[in-house]
Amino acid sequence: MRPTPKFERREPVDQVDLLSVQIADASHESVIIYDADARIIHWNYASQRLYGRSNVEVRGKHPDEVFGADTIGPDWTELKTGGSWQGIAQRAGFGNVSVLAEIRLRALRDEEGKITRIVEHGLPADARIVEGHAPGIQKDWIAVWSIDTSGAAAILEHIGRIRDQGLTHLTAIGPEVVAEHLRISDMNVAAVRLFAGGASVTSLVGKSAYRYWPQKHRAKLLDLTIRVLQASESETPFVTAAVGDDVLSVWRGKPDHPHLISTSVTGSWNGPDRYWDLAASEQRYRNLINNVPLPIWQVDARVMSDVIQRLKAAGITSIESHLREEPDLVRFASEAVVVTDVNDSAMRLFRGKLRDDFLKNVTYLFSGTPEAAMRVVKAHFDGGRNYSEEMKIRTFDGDLRDVLFYVTFPQVPEKLDKTLIMMIDVTDQRRVEQQLRKIEADFAHAARVSALGELVTSIAHEVRQPLSVIVTDADTGLRWLGRDEPNVTKVKAIIARIAENAHRANEVIRRIKEMAVKTDPMRSIVDVNDLIREALLFVKSESQTHNIAINTRLVVGLPEIFGDRVQLQQVIINLLINSIHAISGNQRPNRLISIETSLGTKADVIFSVRDTGGGIPSDDIDRIFDGFFSSKPDGMGMGLAICRSIIIDHGGTITARNDGGHGAIFEVTLPLPNGLHDTPDDPDPRSMAGR
């Protein structure tokens, strides 16, 4: 019962004009006139018949004195604020018999806007929701919903056409798909109080009645509702069912409103606490969700759960194959699964203003990444508890955002109507990461150019050698052609060698260009052994100048990896140059660099560079990968830092350690694509030669 508010009193109880009384008494409706304090001034003969009390008995009394303290009546606060109220009231009549009435109240005001009188008109509610549910059942309260079913009727008709067409992927659709199209037209006070948390009726109009039915009765009420909807419009069906201590009823409204139906739930006052406790529990749950600082959607996916169960019962074991045959199933899933609640963070993420804009099917959640809907359907079919991925969303104002998408599917015996979706906006983080990658790429390019500067002697030698051969062969060829009897066979061999060395020079220039030109990283399948062989060509002359031998032990048949060829080659060259500098800086007799490749035990490829340069000082070994740290007087200190950044970006690791007192070992681990882990052949004996 809502408390009766105190209005400013404007006139005594007994002061009511004769004309108003005569008009009230002439009406066939119940007419009750209240003063500004909501005390009864007069009620007419129809009120006496309806409630079983005379005008003399009730004059000067408040409604709760007349109808009982537990009455479910008008919302007086809403009446005072808005000036009117209408709905269904449940009151105690003569002998404490429950009376259900459809009532309308209007507040009359004076020139200053102050309430002077309140006039109530009422009619008995449909008797079938008060009595006749089942013989001998007497109930103390009744919750009533008036529902607009125009949308639901259209959906039922559409499903009927689909089934008639024999579309197999939709024959598994259950009647639950109509649930979200049952829209509230009106609710009585009991329904609002018990199942809508006391919200105002006006705020509930247009929302899903299904969400405001008692949870334990939703399935049965939906079944009864569909039975009424499928009856012909010429009928006025009334269906009812007793479920435990409660009685459920559904019936069609008046003939002039064929799309309006009414549903009711009746129960005893010895048990309503369970509903209030449930309403309070759900309110606490909503408050908790709303206070979570992350965007959260509560979704009712039971329709899709039923479809999946029926597909599995029909023998479908691979949802991917089924979706290829029936691609419309994903679209149906997006349209059938509906959002039942969102928190404020979700509204801010999508830049929406009205909560009702979010309470619809989930299609808008996948507008930025439509293919993600199929992956969610697959995860649901596979029976996983959770699913997550990074995807893009499109906000209501058209902006694309990067989010981490999480969905938690309920499991039996949990409430299957509460699937939770959560998103974390990572747009700014991805933008910063992109900027950092650009900065790292700029540093890497600068380091490559710097390395090329250090290798200018080696590069000049690599280019000069094939060019010298070309010049010599060209002169020889001309001499052979200048003879009286040209030796065509010799000239052909010379021309072939000229072409071979020209290609060799061109390849050297290509590699230099790849290292020098600033381009965006491009990843592809690459062979680590090939990268090492090409890197050795860059440092060959430099190692020979310092009288340093380079041995290789490359495993034949090593699986390829996925990475950027230029960046990974830069890492290898940088490690080789560091080893050359370490060895050339001391006078050790053993001047050797060894490069090895192997297959790791965790689906990864490993290559290591070992030198005899004396090792890394113990004070520096923990800092050598830090930016701007260098043990060389003229060093930038960015080479190894960039190497580490490149390897980490490829999902790998790079470490350094000392090899006793001999030198240092740098080891790089790179993951295989898709977890490939083939067993390679033994090391190629030919790769053991010093270079």
Side-chain angles (χ1 to χ4, degrees):
M1 181 190 68
R2 291 184 174 88
T4 304
K6 296 296 183 181
F7 304 110
E8 182 174 349
R9 185 151 186 174
R10 304 292 298 163
E11 62 179 319
V13 171
D14 293 332
Q15 186 175 341
V16 57
D17 59 88
L18 181 61
L19 181 59
S20 297
V21 171
Q22 291 175 338
I23 294 175
D25 288 341
S27 174
H28 294 290
E29 291 185 324
S30 164
V31 178
I32 303 175
I33 304 174
Y34 303 90
D35 68 4
D37 285 333
R39 291 182 178 275
I40 298 173
I41 299 175
H42 179 76
W43 72 1
N44 65 351
Y45 300 123
S47 300
Q48 296 181 42
R49 290 193 300 270
L50 180 60
Y51 299 112
R53 291 187 175 89
S54 67
N55 185 39
V56 175
E57 292 179 82
V58 300
R59 287 186 63 191
K61 295 181 179 180
H62 284 287
D64 53 355
E65 297 178 76
V66 176
F67 301 122
D70 292 329
T71 183
I72 299 176
D75 187 334
W76 295 96
T77 302
E78 183 178 336
L79 171 66
K80 180 180 178 182
T81 304
S84 63
W85 187 91
Q86 72 177 54
I88 299 177
Q90 182 179 347
R91 292 165 167 172
F94 181 76
N96 208 30
V97 175
S98 180
V99 176
L100 199 69
E102 298 180 13
I103 63 173
R104 309 181 306 280
L105 290 92
R106 175 175 294 276
L108 306 180
R109 303 178 185 271
D110 60 14
E111 296 178 353
E112 299 177 2
K114 297 179 180 179
I115 295 177
T116 59
R117 291 179 186 168
I118 301 167
V119 179
E120 172 190 313
H121 294 264
L123 287 171
D126 194 314
R128 289 172 298 185
I129 63 176
V130 182
E131 56 185 81
H133 294 297
I137 293 182
Q138 296 294 327
K139 298 299 176 182
D140 301 320
W141 60 266
I142 180 168
V144 182
W145 295 259
S146 178
I147 302 171
D148 181 354
T149 64
S150 53
I155 292 294
L156 279 174
E157 183 179 355
H158 178 64
I159 292 175
R161 288 198 303 269
I162 287 175
R163 287 175 173 164
D164 292 342
Q165 294 170 11
L167 299 180
T168 58
H169 69 291
L170 293 181
T171 55
I173 296 175
E176 298 86 353
V177 72
V178 307
E180 286 302 313
H181 297 274
L182 300 172
R183 301 296 177 179
I184 294 172
S185 175
D186 195 6
M187 294 171 66
N188 77 337
V189 177
V192 172
R193 181 180 178 186
L194 292 175
F195 308 110
S200 67
V201 175
T202 53
S203 69
L204 298 171
V205 171
K207 293 186 177 179
S208 167
Y210 185 82
R211 294 203 302 271
Y212 293 96
W213 281 342
Q215 283 196 354
K216 72 173 187 176
H217 294 324
R218 284 177 182 173
K220 187 62 178 179
L221 282 170
L222 182 60
D223 176 61
L224 298 178
T225 298
I226 292 176
R227 285 169 54 186
V228 170
L229 287 175
Q230 291 176 334
S232 65
E233 292 187 2
S234 60
E235 302 177 17
T236 56
F238 176 84
V239 293
T240 186
V243 181
D245 293 333
D246 298 336
V247 177
L248 318 180
S249 302
V250 181
W251 66 97
R252 181 171 286 150
K254 299 178 180 178
D256 54 339
H257 294 91
H259 291 305
L260 283 180
I261 67 169
S262 295
T263 63
S264 71
V265 177
T266 63
S268 301
W269 282 121
N270 58 12
D273 288 348
R274 65 183 184 272
Y275 293 108
W276 292 328
D277 290 343
L278 178 61
S281 175
E282 292 193 343
Q283 185 61 46
R284 288 193 296 270
Y285 170 79
R286 285 193 292 269
N287 291 339
L288 174 63
I289 293 298
N290 201 49
N291 289 326
V292 173
L294 294 174
I296 295 179
W297 286 256
Q298 182 176 295
V299 173
D300 189 342
R302 283 177 298 173
V303 173
M304 200 58 208
S305 297
D306 290 343
V307 171
I308 288 173
Q309 289 178 3
R310 294 172 189 176
L311 289 176
K312 289 182 176 180
I316 302 298
T317 58
S318 172
I319 191 65
E320 294 95 333
S321 301
H322 188 72
L323 291 177
R324 284 193 293 270
E325 298 173 1
E326 306 289 357
D328 285 345
L329 181 58
V330 175
R331 178 184 57 80
F332 164 75
S334 297
E335 294 177 354
V337 175
V338 294
V339 177
T340 58
D341 202 2
V342 295
N343 65 357
D344 293 341
S345 296
M347 295 176 63
R348 287 193 295 269
L349 175 61
F350 271 76
R351 299 171 188 171
K353 296 181 179 179
L354 300 176
R355 193 173 300 272
D356 284 351
D357 293 339
F358 292 80
L359 305 183
K360 54 187 178 182
N361 65 55
V362 297
T363 304
Y364 70 93
L365 297 180
F366 300 102
S367 61
T369 311
E371 62 275 14
M374 182 181 66
R375 294 190 286 270
V376 172
V377 170
K378 180 182 181 302
H380 197 177
F381 185 90
D382 292 342
R385 177 67 167 177
N386 302 292
Y387 174 75
S388 64
E389 71 168 80
E390 184 167 339
M391 58 184 276
K392 290 187 180 294
I393 60 167
R394 189 178 300 278
T395 62
F396 289 167
D397 59 2
D399 187 24
L400 280 176
R401 310 286 296 178
D402 294 299
V403 300
L404 298 178
F405 173 92
Y406 300 91
V407 57
T408 298
F409 301 108
Q411 305 290 321
V412 177
E414 298 171 355
K415 294 178 179 178
L416 300 181
D417 63 327
K418 283 184 171 57
T419 297
L420 291 181
I421 291 175
M422 182 174 68
M423 296 185 190
I424 300 176
D425 189 354
V426 294
T427 306
D428 294 337
Q429 180 181 340
R430 295 295 176 262
R431 188 178 297 120
V432 170
E433 289 174 355
Q434 185 176 3
Q435 293 171 347
L436 287 175
R437 282 195 293 268
K438 183 178 183 303
I439 293 172
E440 289 175 350
D442 291 343
F443 271 116
H445 174 251
R448 288 198 298 271
V449 173
S450 176
L452 289 175
E454 296 185 46
L455 297 172
V456 64
T457 303
S458 180
I459 292 170
H461 173 77
E462 285 291 316
V463 177
R464 188 186 304 116
Q465 188 178 23
L467 291 179
S468 298
V469 175
I470 290 172
V471 171
T472 301
D473 285 345
D475 290 340
T476 303
L478 288 174
R479 286 197 302 272
W480 281 103
L481 289 173
R483 292 186 176 188
D484 293 337
E485 294 182 5
N487 190 330
V488 177
T489 302
K490 286 281 188 181
V491 171
K492 285 183 177 179
I494 289 172
I495 292 175
R497 193 162 62 178
I498 289 174
E500 179 183 347
N501 281 277
H503 287 306
R504 179 182 170 190
N506 182 66
E507 186 66 16
V508 173
I509 294 171
R510 180 192 64 79
R511 290 197 300 268
I512 296 170
K513 181 181 178 181
E514 286 182 348
M515 294 288 288
V517 173
K518 183 179 179 181
T519 58
D520 292 331
M522 288 196 319
R523 299 195 179 187
S524 60
I525 297 297
V526 294
D527 188 313
V528 173
N529 288 344
D530 287 344
L531 295 180
I532 292 174
R533 294 187 186 102
E534 290 184 5
L536 290 174
L537 296 176
F538 279 98
V539 301
K540 180 179 180 180
S541 181
E542 186 76 9
S543 64
Q544 290 175 346
T545 300
H546 294 283
N547 193 27
I548 298 171
I550 301 179
N551 289 342
T552 60
R553 184 181 176 85
L554 308 180
V555 173
V556 176
L558 197 67
E560 295 176 320
I561 65 169
F562 188 72
D564 183 271
R565 186 181 195 86
V566 174
Q567 288 186 341
L568 293 176
Q569 196 171 90
Q570 177 182 355
V571 172
I572 299 169
I573 292 173
N574 193 284
L575 295 178
L576 291 171
I577 292 175
N578 283 353
S579 293
I580 291 173
H581 288 172
I583 295 174
S584 63
N586 61 59
Q587 300 301 319
R588 288 174 175 252
N590 187 16
R591 305 171 72 81
L592 177 66
I593 298 174
S594 299
I595 303 180
E596 298 181 2
T597 59
S598 62
L599 185 63
T601 59
K602 297 181 179 179
D604 47 27
V605 168
I606 301 172
F607 73 84
S608 60
V609 178
R610 183 191 306 259
D611 63 58
T612 58
I616 306 167
S618 57
D619 293 339
D620 298 341
I621 198 166
D622 293 331
R623 299 187 294 161
I624 58 173
F625 292 110
D626 294 343
F628 304 106
F629 172 79
S630 176
S631 60
K632 295 179 289 187
D634 57 347
M636 292 175 57
M638 293 303 298
L640 288 176
I642 291 172
C643 288
R644 182 179 65 173
S645 175
I646 291 173
I647 296 303
I648 290 176
D649 192 46
H650 281 73
T653 60
I654 180 171
T655 59
R657 66 182 187 275
N658 284 320
D659 183 16
H662 302 290
I665 302 175
F666 287 85
E667 187 174 272
V668 174
T669 301
L670 293 167
L672 295 176
N674 301 322
L676 294 178
H677 196 158
D678 298 328
T679 302
D681 300 331
D682 293 333
D684 186 351
R686 295 170 297 174
S687 69
M688 301 299 293
R691 300 195 178 190

